[in-house]
């Protein structure tokens, strides 16, 4: 079925698949590192979470660059890395804003008619996180495809950069 799609669409589908798979892997890595550091009594939860997030993000940057967007050169890595972190910070802020908005909206929906609809109150927070995460995933993919790893912005690597 994938072969029936035009080449540009096939490329984007492949990139989205890699983007999601790498995101799931590096999120799991973040959780494992944070849990190991916290439950191993190496550091408190906040610091363990920060270390896990940092390591997961470093691995995410490298794998997204190499596998998703197929940039194996040493060209513009520093600039891309700075832009990556700026966009990650922006997506964190966007995620928090969306979770707040969805939680507020879902809570009001629940107050207005939730009991009649059979919606349990405990579902509000997970639903807010789920919907916010979906939108932030799209935001992140678009930003990294069109900004962080866009060769039109960073220029094509020379032959020396790819060796």
């Amino acid at each position: 079925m994938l072969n029936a799609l035009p080449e540009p669409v096939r490329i984007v589908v492949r990139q989205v698949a890699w983007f999601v798979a790498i995101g799931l892997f590096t999120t799991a890595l973040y959780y494992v590192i944070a849990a190991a550091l916290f439950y191993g009594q190496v550091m408190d939860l906040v610091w363990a979470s920060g270390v896990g997030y940092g390591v997961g993000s470093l691995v995410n940057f490298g794998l997204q660059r190499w596998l998703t967007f197929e940039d194996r050169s040493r060209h513009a890595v520093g600039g891309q890395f700075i832009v990556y972190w700026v966009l990650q910070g922006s997506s964190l802020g966007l995620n928090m804003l969306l979770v707040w908005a969805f939680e507020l909206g879902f809570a009001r929906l629940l107050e207005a008619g939730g009991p009649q609809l059979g919606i349990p109150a405990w579902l509000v927070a997970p639903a807010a996180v789920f919907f916010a995460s979906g939108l932030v995933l799209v935001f992140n993919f678009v930003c990294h495809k069109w900004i962080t790893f866009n060769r039109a912005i960073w220029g094509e690597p020379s032959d020396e950069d790819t060796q």
Side-chain angles (χ1 to χ4, degrees):
M1 176 173 151
L2 195 58
N3 288 335
L5 298 172
E7 182 66 19
V9 174
R10 206 174 21 237
I11 289 170
V12 171
V13 168
R14 184 195 55 75
Q15 287 176 334
V16 168
W18 272 114
F19 192 83
V20 170
I22 291 167
L24 289 171
F25 168 73
T26 55
T27 299
L29 178 65
Y30 155 41
Y31 291 163
V32 166
I33 290 170
L37 292 173
F38 176 70
Y39 290 114
Q41 299 179 341
V42 175
M43 56 186 63
D44 74 13
L45 183 60
V46 173
W47 282 102
S49 178
V51 170
Y53 181 85
V55 171
S57 292
L58 289 171
V59 172
N60 187 284
F61 172 81
L63 290 176
Q64 296 296 2
R65 187 174 198 274
W66 186 56
L67 293 173
T68 304
F69 300 106
E70 297 181 340
D71 186 348
R72 292 176 176 87
S73 73
R74 290 173 277 171
H75 179 73
V77 176
Q80 288 174 324
F81 191 66
I82 291 168
V83 167
Y84 173 84
W85 279 101
V86 168
L87 291 172
Q88 287 301 103
S90 300
S91 73
L92 174 62
L94 176 62
N95 185 71
M96 293 170 70
L97 178 66
L98 288 171
V99 167
W100 171 80
F102 280 127
E103 183 182 34
L104 184 65
F106 291 155
R108 289 197 175 149
L109 178 67
L110 186 65
E111 289 172 5
Q116 291 84 11
L117 299 172
I119 301 170
W122 63 265
L123 195 58
V124 168
V129 170
F130 176 80
F131 284 102
S133 296
L135 290 174
V136 169
L137 175 72
V138 172
F139 172 82
N140 283 335
F141 178 79
V142 169
C143 285
H144 293 312
K145 179 170 179 60
W146 296 108
I147 300 171
T148 309
F149 301 110
N150 185 345
R151 292 179 191 206
I153 293 173
W154 300 103
E156 289 295 324
S158 67
D159 290 336
E160 293 172 4
D161 289 325
T162 58
Q163 296 176 8

